[in-house]
Amino acid sequence: MTDTAGNTPASGNAPEVPDDLARCAVVIESAVEHLIKEKQPPLAIASALLGGSLGLLARSMDKDTILRILDSAAQSVRSGDVHASMAGENGPESEKA
């Protein structure tokens, strides 16, 4: 990962996103937008991204670490953090809960 020591928050209390993560996020978001414009089903897009992500994680870390990452993601869904972050980006109409 990129060393973020010494970086100051971009605004408020939000930490600055490391450059490598920001570049990857831009590429992924562009691919998702492209697939949505092609009218691909959101479930297919998300499933492909999740499957690819799990494959990448499996090549680079052990099973227990992957399970901790997935547990953290599941907790974010349970607590409403995932939907809250999407509502902040897209307005409250995108919230499914």
Side-chain angles (χ1 to χ4, degrees), residues 10-95:
S11 64
N13 293 332
E16 185 175 315
V17 176
D19 288 343
D20 56 350
L21 178 58
R23 280 190 298 275
C24 291
V26 167
V27 171
I28 296 300
E29 189 60 34
S30 176
V32 168
E33 288 176 18
H34 174 75
L35 291 167
I36 289 171
K37 286 178 185 174
E38 286 189 343
K39 307 236 187 282
Q40 297 298 321
L43 182 57
I45 298 168
S47 293
L49 287 167
L50 183 56
S53 296
L54 288 171
L56 179 60
L57 291 174
R59 288 191 296 271
S60 59
M61 59 188 61
D62 64 274
K63 180 171 69 171
D64 290 334
T65 302
I66 295 169
L67 288 170
R68 282 194 299 273
I69 291 168
L70 292 172
D71 286 340
S72 176
Q75 183 55 39
S76 292
V77 173
R78 285 186 197 101
S79 71
D81 290 344
V82 171
H83 285 98
S85 68
M86 292 294 96
E89 288 181 17
N90 302 322
E93 70 276 359
S94 69
E95 190 168 332

